[in-house]
């Protein structure tokens, strides 16, 4: 069967691989749509230190169950549209013992530490299969990245009395915008692209800030009555946005970091103490986050088409990644049509 493989820096090809062998506790999926995410782009550009090369990318899945093993629960049936929880957990590390399996010390994500889902079929443990309800396979490929943003909002313990600033309005950041709005918060969306900011307003943000063209501090003080945001969610992964999060969050506020900065970041650590900040990491997502995203998408209010920048065939995936690398700020999600 065919698969997409990243073989070296900026080298991607369609290759033939063996058909998967399904175990008794596994589900065989026929992949419909698989999304490229930022980690896949970094792998393609040779900037992902966690990846094991060469690798089949892809962990944002919209698929259909083709076959189930003999020990798979009856709730999973052939023909169902599903997505995938692409993370592993060892069950023995501190994170797993504390019930936070999304942050497993030994996690292996599809398409990063192990081969991913950009292939015609894949066999996975039934526990990792998440029914997508009434969603189409195409929409289901958006569930995982949005769930990462939903999880960050849970980590921030957002409530209806909070002002939440989300830095970075890609797919993950949009998930954080949506979930914060659902919790009743006032949301400030920040990005360098006006088109993304306009879409953030469409998805519920009350305010927007272009961090490239506006005085961020002055604008935030105006929006918050001089207090600053109660919560800042960093969804970019750059030294500048990390510093912005700490500098601009209100006294006794919460800062939640999703993005990985590629270089060291220098902070005014006095703010950690003077503001008595809660600074928290947010990694991956839990099954409950996936379910919450599915419920949101089933309402039909999400502008799904606006979130999908391009749909390509496997043979055109390499060209699409080069285009994304040339203009990273203009892309939400590229989906690969595996059918």
């Amino acid at each position: 069967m065919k698969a997409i493989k990243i073989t070296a820096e900026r080298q991607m090809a369609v290759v033939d691989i063996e058909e998967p062998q399904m175990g008794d506790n596994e589900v065989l999926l026929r992949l419909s749509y698989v999304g490229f995410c930022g980690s896949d782009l970094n792998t393609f550009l040779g900037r992902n230190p966690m990846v094991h090369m060469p690798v089949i990318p892809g962990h944002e899945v919209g698929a259909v169950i083709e076959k189930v093993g003999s020990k798979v629960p009856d709730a999973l049936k052939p023909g169902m549209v599903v997505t995938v929880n692409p993370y592993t957990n060892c069950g023995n590390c501190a994170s797993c013992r504390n019930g936070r399996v999304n942050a497993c010390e030994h996690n292996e994500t599809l398409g990063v530490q192990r081969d991913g889902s950009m292939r015609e079929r894949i066999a996975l443990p039934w526990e990792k299969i998440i029914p997508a309800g009434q969603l189409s396979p195409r929409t289901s490929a958006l569930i995982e990245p949005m769930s990462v943003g939903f999880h960050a909002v849970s980590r921030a313990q957002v409530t209806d009395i909070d002002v939440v600033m989300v830095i970075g309005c890609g797919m993950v950041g949009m998930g954080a915008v949506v979930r914060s709005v659902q919790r009743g918060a006032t949301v400030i969306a920040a990005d360098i692209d006006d088109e993304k900011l306009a879409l953030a307003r469409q998805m519920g943000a009350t305010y927007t800030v272009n961090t490239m063209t506006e005085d961020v501090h002055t604008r935030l003080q105006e929006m918050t009555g001089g207090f600053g945001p109660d919560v800042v969610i960093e969804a970019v992964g750059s030294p500048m946005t990390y510093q912005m999060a700490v500098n601009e969050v209100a006294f006794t506020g919460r800062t939640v970091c999703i993005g990985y900065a590629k270089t060291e970041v220098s902070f005014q650590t006095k703010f950690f103490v003077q503001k008595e900040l809660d600074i928290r990491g947010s990694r991956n997502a839990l099954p409950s986050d996936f379910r919450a995203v599915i419920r949101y998408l089933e309402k039909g209010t999400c502008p799904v088409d606006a979130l999908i920048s391009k749909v390509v065939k496997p043979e055109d995936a390499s060209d699409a990644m080069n285009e994304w690398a040339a203009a990273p700020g203009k892309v939400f999600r590229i989906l690969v049509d595996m059918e």
Side-chain angles (χ1 to χ4, degrees):
M1 67 177 183
K2 294 188 182 301
I4 296 172
K5 182 169 283 191
I6 301 174
T7 55
E9 183 177 330
R10 288 187 180 268
Q11 299 295 316
M12 181 183 291
V14 178
V15 299
D16 287 318
I17 63 172
E18 293 183 359
E19 292 281 349
Q21 300 299 310
M22 186 187 73
D24 291 341
N25 289 297
E26 291 185 319
V27 173
L28 182 66
L29 301 182
R30 184 178 76 253
L31 280 304
S32 297
Y33 293 90
V34 182
F36 275 124
C37 80
S39 64
D40 296 320
L41 178 61
N42 284 324
T43 298
F44 181 71
L45 296 175
R47 300 174 184 170
N48 190 343
M50 295 183 292
V51 74
H52 295 166
M53 295 281 282
V55 68
I56 297 171
H59 56 258
E60 301 175 358
V61 172
V64 176
I65 295 178
E66 192 164 277
K67 189 177 180 182
V68 298
S70 61
K71 297 182 180 179
V72 173
D74 291 339
L76 297 174
K77 301 181 183 298
M80 290 179 65
V81 176
V82 298
T83 192
V84 168
N85 181 333
Y87 326 118
T88 65
N89 57 283
C90 69
N92 296 313
C93 71
S95 298
C96 290
R97 289 171 61 191
N98 290 329
R100 290 162 66 176
V101 294
N102 58 294
C104 175
E105 181 180 356
H106 306 292
N107 168 66
E108 293 184 352
T109 298
L110 284 172
V112 185
Q113 295 93 346
R114 57 187 174 131
D115 279 335
S117 56
M118 283 196 180
R119 58 179 88 185
E120 293 181 79
R121 283 174 291 281
I122 190 171
L124 294 169
W126 69 264
E127 295 92 341
K128 297 299 180 182
I129 308 303
I130 301 175
Q134 302 304 309
L135 301 181
S136 68
R138 180 173 174 267
T139 300
S140 298
L142 304 179
I143 295 169
E144 191 274 343
M146 293 196 79
S147 73
V148 176
F150 272 47
H151 184 70
V153 173
S154 293
R155 291 283 294 140
Q157 296 175 300
V158 171
T159 72
D160 59 352
I161 63 171
D162 288 321
V163 176
V164 178
M165 179 185 185
V166 178
I167 307 176
C169 294
M171 276 296 299
V172 171
M174 286 298 188
V177 168
V178 167
R179 193 57 163 166
S180 297
V181 171
Q182 286 185 330
R183 291 191 174 200
T186 300
V187 178
I188 303 169
D191 201 276
I192 62 174
D193 186 87
D194 286 332
E195 291 181 11
K196 288 185 175 180
L197 292 173
L199 186 54
R201 277 189 179 273
Q202 187 178 344
M203 298 181 79
T206 302
Y207 304 106
T208 58
V209 181
N210 187 313
T211 59
M212 185 72 73
T213 62
E214 298 181 77
D215 184 321
V216 175
H217 179 73
T218 299
R219 291 276 285 123
L220 291 176
Q221 292 296 296
E222 293 170 351
M223 295 170 185
T224 63
F227 292 107
D230 303 288
V231 174
V232 177
I233 296 175
E234 197 287 332
V236 176
S238 79
M240 184 189 75
T241 52
Y242 262 78
Q243 291 164 347
M244 183 186 298
V246 170
N247 293 349
E248 299 299 343
V249 71
F251 273 63
T252 67
R254 288 100 71 198
T255 297
V256 176
C257 305
I258 310 173
Y260 284 95
K262 308 305 183 293
T263 58
E264 292 185 358
V265 185
S266 297
F267 291 103
Q268 290 285 340
T269 55
K270 67 178 183 180
F271 289 147
F272 297 7
V273 178
Q274 286 180 345
K275 293 184 177 182
E276 198 174 56
L277 298 182
D278 288 334
I279 301 175
R280 305 173 184 178
S282 182
R283 184 182 180 193
N284 300 331
L286 288 165
S288 58
D289 300 309
F290 282 79
R291 293 195 299 272
V293 172
I294 292 168
R295 179 175 294 181
Y296 162 66
L297 291 173
E298 283 184 323
K299 293 178 181 178
T301 58
C302 178
V304 170
D305 289 340
L307 297 176
I308 299 173
S309 304
K310 180 178 288 191
V311 179
V312 299
K313 297 293 185 182
E315 294 77 12
D316 300 320
S318 181
D319 290 340
M321 289 297 269
N322 277 308
E323 291 175 13
W324 188 9
K330 293 296 183 181
V331 172
F332 280 103
R333 269 303 174 270
I334 296 171
L335 301 186
V336 180
D337 182 354
M338 298 305 301
E339 295 184 331

